[in-house]
Amino acid sequence: MWHEMAVLGGLLLAASAAPALAADDRPLLQAGKKTLYQRVLTTPSCRLGDQPGAAGGKPQPAFTRFYVYQRQQVGDGEWLKVGADSYGKTLGWIDGGCAVEWKMQMTLALTNPAGRDPLLFFRQRESLDKLFAAGDPGKLLKPIRANLASQGRDPSVVAREPDYAVDLAKRFYLLPVLNAREIMTEKGFRVRELEVASVTAAAPKSAEQTAQDKAGEVNTLKGFSAAVVFVIDSTISMGPYIDRTREAIRKIYQHIEQEKLLKQVKFGLVAYRSNVKAVPALEYVSKLYVDPAQVQGGEDFLARMAALKPATVSSSRFDEDAYAGVMKALDGIDWTQFGARYIVLVSDAGALDGSDPLSATGLDAAQVRLEAKHRGVAIYSLHLKTPSGASNHASAEAQYRDLSNNPVLNKPLYYPVDAGDVDNFGRKIDGLAAAITGQVKAAYRGEMAAGSALGADADYGKKGKPADDALLEDTAKLGHAMRLAYLGEVTGASAPPVFNAWISDRDFVKQNVPTTEVRVLLTKAQLSDLAEVVKKIADAANEGLISPNEMFERLRSVAATMGKDPSQLQKGGKSATLAEMGLMAEYLEGLPYLSEVLSLDEETWKGMEGLEQEKFIRRLNTKLKYYQKYNADADRWVSLAEGSDPRDHVYPVPLEALP
């Protein structure tokens, strides 16, 4: 838990993963740790010299991460001998007073600011305490925001979050946590007050500069475009829905041609079925029919879509490989060309779980959703609840709600079509396509408000019948968030330039809305170690399904081979958790999340129903698949120090992806 704990962050490379080095060639260990090395982050005043205590030296970029190899007292101050990585190559000495200890390597990512006020970075924690103790925090914030709007500054505020979204994947930034505490607000919400650090403050913008920036939005938004990719189940039962989707796209293309928006709105198409080894006549698992980056217009799209026909044979299961279809769209399309990015999943069946032998991806809804989030893609799920799939409806709904849970709206973009009614489905498709087109049209006109395009084109195609108001409202809000993300990307929006400040992980007024997300920075060695241990736990759990007593006996053996003191393994008996047995690495200790794996003990495992145990194993196996994807994704690995060994580059892993 976070309660009053210092969480300045560094997950350090396990000593077991490093090559054999002499003691003097290794960084110093953290106090009380066996595998975690000492590391620091530089502040803007740090200089790197050849000797401890020497004046001058080479200035270092703020937030460079250094390993500490030696500490030496010089006069009243301490000096640190540092290196860029943990493999024995030292660079020189820095004054310890200019560096900040980093024990648990975490960084915060700012959420998309749509639907909330820009986050304020306060000088003192007391400012947060006053806001959260107030029955109406908005009343206290009003004069502060007025000062920022008119003068560009307020005495209590160090910095303000940019108006536009800052994409950690595109512009990696460090926003480490120095201290945190969890409180209960007057409104009854649990929030975390966080002391954070960032680079030194730049001069605040004047009100005139801010007005100029706003005026520039209109021209910038003229380059805003949208891609809507339909991912359609093309199995034997889907013929009427494929035809109705084709009809909706034909009508909307006529509309956007009239509006001269052909360059701004593009449609794509992916079809999916199921495992072709089980049923070869299915022909494919997933197939990209239309790439939105290549389509030339309505006639071109419809000509390409003409090749899509429903399968002539049935799959071996009622569930199809929907996740393979979504991943085909995510991996097979260059989404960076578009500001607004949407996938519309259409299916009358559930999805094959990642642990199913027929699954092509080995991933579950949670992992596919994280991949979509990384690319800035929103997933809509149109679930056709046909009578033939009645027994499958509940499980499929749970999957698609998880898959389409949107971090900006904080709700799933899940829309069922009762009885699989083709007309109802058609109205949803018409309304959705028209609403997205309206959002792009509004952006082209320079309109930024969340509801500016709500209804602008949404009435198109309704034929006198009401469209899904919730769907249209969600699309309007999401379109606003997409425009903020686009503006953030093209203008190079970055994290606020502050050094020390206090923020909240929830909006001050809308206290159910998160302002930040935690990323854990893992090295390749740590990710590999994590995957290995998770696999061993999954293997032992598989054996435990046959004989519950076997699982924890095997895990004790695994812990022993990892160097855990055998006499310690028996302590706690059946109530000892996997964390207490020493199975998980030290770099997971103290993280602000509740781990179902770390907290598992023998009594809990034996008390689970067989189905619950199987689900536990499936979750472990799908996370293993996801770790493999992380490892292979060269673009997402980040160096935290110039010249550091590639083995010490890090991957920003969402807390949700940890075991």
Side-chain angles (χ1 to χ4, degrees), residues 380-445:
Y380 287 81
S381 293
L382 297 187
H383 180 196
L384 310 170
K385 292 190 169 182
T386 58
S388 61
S391 62
N392 181 256
H393 289 168
S395 59
E397 178 174 342
Q399 290 176 316
Y400 295 143
R401 282 185 175 277
D402 190 0
L403 177 68
S404 60
N405 193 40
N406 188 271
V408 174
L409 302 184
N410 199 27
K411 62 175 288 189
L413 300 172
Y414 170 84
Y415 308 97
V417 180
D418 290 337
D421 183 88
V422 176
D423 288 339
N424 187 0
F425 166 73
R427 289 195 298 274
K428 282 182 165 62
I429 290 288
D430 289 341
L432 177 60
I436 291 172
T437 301
Q439 290 292 320
V440 177
K441 182 179 177 181
Y444 191 73
R445 294 195 299 251

Side-chain angles (χ1 to χ4, degrees), residues 477-496:
K477 292 177 180 177
L478 197 54
H480 177 58
M482 295 277 189
R483 294 198 290 280
L484 291 179
Y486 171 77
L487 286 167
E489 184 173 338
V490 298
T491 61
S494 57

Side-chain angles (χ1 to χ4, degrees), residues 17-39:
L21 298 172
D24 293 343
D25 292 329
R26 295 193 185 101
L28 302 174
L29 288 170
Q30 292 184 30
K33 302 297 183 182
K34 297 180 180 179
T35 60
L36 299 188
Y37 293 134
Q38 295 180 23
R39 290 197 295 193

Side-chain angles (χ1 to χ4, degrees), residues 88-108:
K89 183 181 178 181
T90 57
L91 300 174
W93 293 80
I94 62 172
D95 184 349
C98 78
V100 183
E101 300 285 344
W102 205 13
K103 297 177 182 178
M104 186 189 306
Q105 188 167 294
M106 296 188 304
T107 190
L108 294 176

Side-chain angles (χ1 to χ4, degrees), residues 274-278 285 316-317 319 321 352-353 355-361:
S274 192
N275 191 289
V276 293
K277 291 183 179 179
V285 177
S316 59
R317 309 269 180 84
D319 285 342
D321 207 344
L352 292 174
D353 285 326
S355 59
D356 193 301
L358 299 183
S359 170
T361 64

